[in-house]
Amino acid sequence: MMGKSYCTYSPDKTCYATGWPACCEDEDTCPEERPECDVEYDKCADFDTLEAAEKACTEEHECGELEDVNFGPDCAGNKEEHCAEIKACSECEEEIRAMFDCEQ
């Protein structure tokens, strides 16, 4: 169990401007459920982390070196390449799709 209150969790600046929901300034006003984020997180801002996650997943699932075939520099070619990667390593589909989303 993390903590009794989400106001005692580590700060999450990807979700809240101050790291915590605004209600945490006066915990008595906080709802039981953690409030929605008040900032929009750009998952592509940390491209290196996404790339590392994809690599770690493919190594964990022993997908081997995914063939780095260049299907072309355009969006269609990039999509075809990522589809081939997913076919070769379906366990890492989420990580591969995250990379594709950020490369577009």
Side-chain angles (χ1 to χ4, degrees):
M1 187 162 128
M2 289 168 70
K4 183 176 161 190
S5 164
Y6 48 79
C7 293
T8 63
Y9 297 172
S10 296
D12 181 359
K13 294 211 173 201
T14 64
C15 190
Y16 303 104
T18 64
W20 294 274
C23 69
C24 289
E25 291 178 18
D26 178 11
E27 282 190 58
D28 293 334
T29 64
C30 286
E32 189 173 319
E33 298 263 334
R34 190 173 108 155
E36 297 274 332
C37 295
D38 60 17
V39 296
E40 190 172 320
Y41 175 61
D42 179 7
K43 70 178 181 181
C44 297
D46 194 4
F47 189 80
D48 292 341
T49 300
L50 290 175
E51 191 171 41
E54 180 183 14
K55 183 177 181 189
C57 184
T58 58
E59 288 174 358
E60 176 186 346
H61 294 287
E62 299 177 358
C63 297
E65 285 294 315
L66 293 177
E67 191 174 341
D68 190 17
V69 177
N70 187 346
F71 288 94
D74 61 355
C75 184
N78 196 358
K79 182 177 182 179
E80 191 175 348
E81 178 182 334
H82 283 84
C83 287
E85 290 175 355
I86 290 168
K87 188 175 182 180
C89 191
S90 61
E91 299 90 349
C92 299
E93 181 173 357
E94 184 178 330
E95 291 82 356
I96 294 168
R97 287 188 185 278
M99 285 292 294
F100 174 73
D101 290 346
C102 293
E103 290 176 346
Q104 298 311 305

